Amino acid sequence: MTSRRTWLPNWLTSEHPLPWLFPVTSLLLVFGLYPVLYSLWLSFFKRNPATRIEKFEPSWNWSKLLADDRVWDAVQVTFTYAGIALFLQLALGMAIALLLDSDKRGFGVLRALMTLPLVVPPAVTGMMFLLMYDSSFGVISNSLYALNILSPENPILGTGSTALWGVIVADVWQWTPFMVLIMLAGLRALPREPFEAASIDGASSFQSFIFLTLPMMSKIIALAVLIRGIDLFRIYDYVKVMTDSGPGTATETLTAYAGTVYFKSANFPYASAVALATLLLVLVTSTIFIKLFKVRF
Amino acid sequence: MASVNIENLDKKYGALSVLHSLNLTVADGKFVVLLGPSGCGKSTLLRMIAGLESISAGEVQFDGVRVNEVHAKDRNIAMVFQNYALYAHMSVRKNMAFSMRLRKVDKKVINEKVEWAASILGLDSYLDRLPKELSGGQRQRVAMGRAIVRDPDVFLFDEPLSNLDAKLRVQMRTEIKELHQRLKTTTIYVTHDQIEAMTMADEVVIMRDGYIEQSGSPMMIYDNPNNLFVAQFIGSPGMNVLRCTVVEQDGRLLAQHEDQILALPADANVTAGQVIYYGIRPEHLEPVKLGEGEGAVGGAQAHIRVVEPTGPEIHLYASLAGQEICCISRTRTQWQPDEPIVVTPDLEHVHLFDVETENAITPNH
Ligand SMILES: Nc1ncnc2c1ncn2[C@@H]1O[C@H](COP(=O)(O)OP(=O)(O)OP(=O)(O)O)[C@@H](O)[C@H]1O
Ligand SMILES: [Mg+2]
């Protein structure tokens, strides 16, 4: 075959994958890999807050991190937050998806309405809930006071035992629709025949759900848990807007702590170490999850 | 065990009506086969009996009790689906055991039953495979297994043998019949294979376009088809049908097809000049070579096209005044293609049909 461009090396021709992969690869390298490597590099310096001089001392920040109680508190808060929010979103998402999985008239509109919370910016959601939790005029607070579940002396976000729940509710409100969407996609793709066979075999709808729906949906559920789980680990906006890690450090997650170290103490090397620790935690947890539940992409 | 009653059953999908006021009684313990061409509504009827399809009008009764509102899971039926409907994430063993597991049957009993079903169905070595690791025929057998491990009031089979090879099909046919003779469970069996219907059924129900054309014992239907459709649908090779005009010769009524003349039964309820369909089954049309077997009265002349020896008999496909016919020879005659023959109908077994309504013309008595 004669080509007019024989002077081009093979790996630059359109038949080779490299030219096609180049743009996205370079984006990933510049905006993904470089910052991570730079953070790693940064975390090897010891910063003197007074003199603002940074000195190369690779183990300084990492040993400080391991000895820092606030880090371990933050790890605990992060896991609690992610665990509870994930469970609620999963359970609610599945329940709502089951309710919306119908071909009856009007359900299409309901499914579309369900996704509305997803278009609200998370910071706005946080501010919205902040208002609803307000102890003098907030609708949620006032309802809870009226029902004698809470008292005005202990405002939701101002009390250590309830603040995290307050933030979780905002997260659940915003992200449950995402779970609903994924679950609905899965449910609507399920074949009808096995369910007919099961009802002939004498299965109630609950038994069909346990023995057919759940196993048939397991891959999709695992994927949803993974996506939401990773997202929940990097929770920052709701905490920042609603409690700013307070009261005290009751709602301080790892990313919130990293933010504090970075923006308030301006200790960039240590903030890098905390941020990298978060990344490490996400990687390890999700890898264990992937291996455990054999998630395939 | 239960009898199944269907009264004025209608099925509509929106404006499309697929079953029209069906009436059917299946007595307790009977083996009834629903037979009809593709799309006539067999599966729909079966699924309505199972409770999987809503009932537009009419009633389904088990033992005389209306079950329209009873959920499928409470009807105590077992069903084999046309498309298998296996549980994809469960092994063959679990597929078959599922119904028993739900009813909390003892593990040992479950295992025994599953292994019994597997040995009947030749699935012993596949028990731990997933459905996706099986061939179409094997999947169909798993679906069968799932039904026969149950102890239901009614068995519903929707073309359960359609994907098996010829040998296995004959074998399974016998197994199912034996099973029915042993368990005496009311069975409704859908097929479009008329041999299956003839060999297995206590009663055959022939359907077309959402209507029941005729029902009765296989032999009764075979010998006395109500109309042209039933006559041609039952029997293989199919009944020969010739469009004839009734003519009168020497005071006798005869049927004329083109230039050929065929005898009519003495009690035929026809008049000269009437146009009729003249139906005769291949085994009732006796061929002889032209010039031999003199005195064959009322025979017509034909030319052999194809000779098909089947072993016990020889099928001759011939052309009678341009019309393809089939006749069966039980002698060891050396038939040759292109040979002229004379075919003589057995007047005991001639079926006459009206050309307009296609209904059978019942003889005078
Ligand atoms: N969900 C549906 N919506 C509309 N029409 C349907 C639906 N299901 C079946 N039909 C129609 O009803 C008629 C009967 O279908 P059915 O499946 O009962 O046929 P069948 O006799 O079982 O055919 P086969 O031998 O091919 O399985 C067909 O004409 C089909 O097109
Ligand atoms: Mg069908």
Side-chain angles (χ1 to χ4, degrees), chain A residues 74-75 77-78 81 164 235-236 239 245 251-258:
Chain A
V75 168
V77 170
T78 308
Y81 181 91
L164 195 63
I235 157 73
Y236 182 74
V239 171
S245 303
T251 57
E252 188 167 73
T253 58
L254 268 172
T255 44
Y257 182 44

Side-chain angles (χ1 to χ4, degrees), chain A residues 196 198-201 203 211, chain B residues 47 73 83 87 89 101 150:
Chain A
E196 293 183 344
S199 68
I200 296 273
D201 272 346
F211 293 122
Chain B
R47 291 168 55 83
K73 78 175 162 59
N83 49 16
Y87 311 124
H89 59 286
R101 225 171 99 208
R150 300 267 313 270

Side-chain angles (χ1 to χ4, degrees), chain B residues 43 82 158-159:
Chain B
S43 297
Q82 188 165 9
D158 197 349
E159 308 197 15

Side-chain angles (χ1 to χ4, degrees), chain B residues 247-262:
Chain B
V247 292
E248 194 168 350
Q249 261 181 27
D250 314 328
R252 273 189 68 194
L253 289 178
L254 297 167
Q256 177 169 12
H257 175 74
E258 307 288 327
D259 58 345
Q260 295 297 321
I261 301 276
L262 288 154

Side-chain angles (χ1 to χ4, degrees), chain A residues 98-209:
Chain A
L98 284 171
L99 289 175
L100 289 179
D101 179 21
S102 166
D103 287 321
K104 292 212 187 74
R105 189 172 258 276
F107 275 78
V109 178
L110 283 182
R111 284 196 286 269
L113 284 177
M114 186 66 222
T115 60
L116 275 184
L118 287 173
V119 300
V120 180
V124 174
T125 303
M127 268 145 46
M128 209 167 76
F129 272 86
L130 201 58
L131 293 177
M132 290 196 284
Y133 287 144
D134 191 283
S135 25
S136 49
F137 57 81
V139 57
I140 296 179
S141 291
N142 286 340
S143 310
L144 292 173
Y145 301 155
L147 292 169
N148 280 324
I149 294 171
L150 290 178
S151 68
E153 292 91 70
N154 300 312
I156 298 172
L157 295 179
T159 311
S161 57
T162 52
L164 195 63
W165 287 97
V167 185
I168 288 174
V169 167
D171 198 307
V172 168
W173 177 83
Q174 178 133 55
W175 292 104
T176 299
F178 177 76
M179 282 294 197
V180 175
L181 274 188
I182 297 187
M183 298 297 163
L184 260 177
L187 284 177
R188 298 194 67 75
L190 289 182
R192 205 187 46 180
E193 294 83 13
F195 290 89
E196 293 183 344
S199 68
I200 296 273
D201 272 346
S204 63
S205 18
F206 178 70
Q207 285 170 321
S208 289
F209 176 73

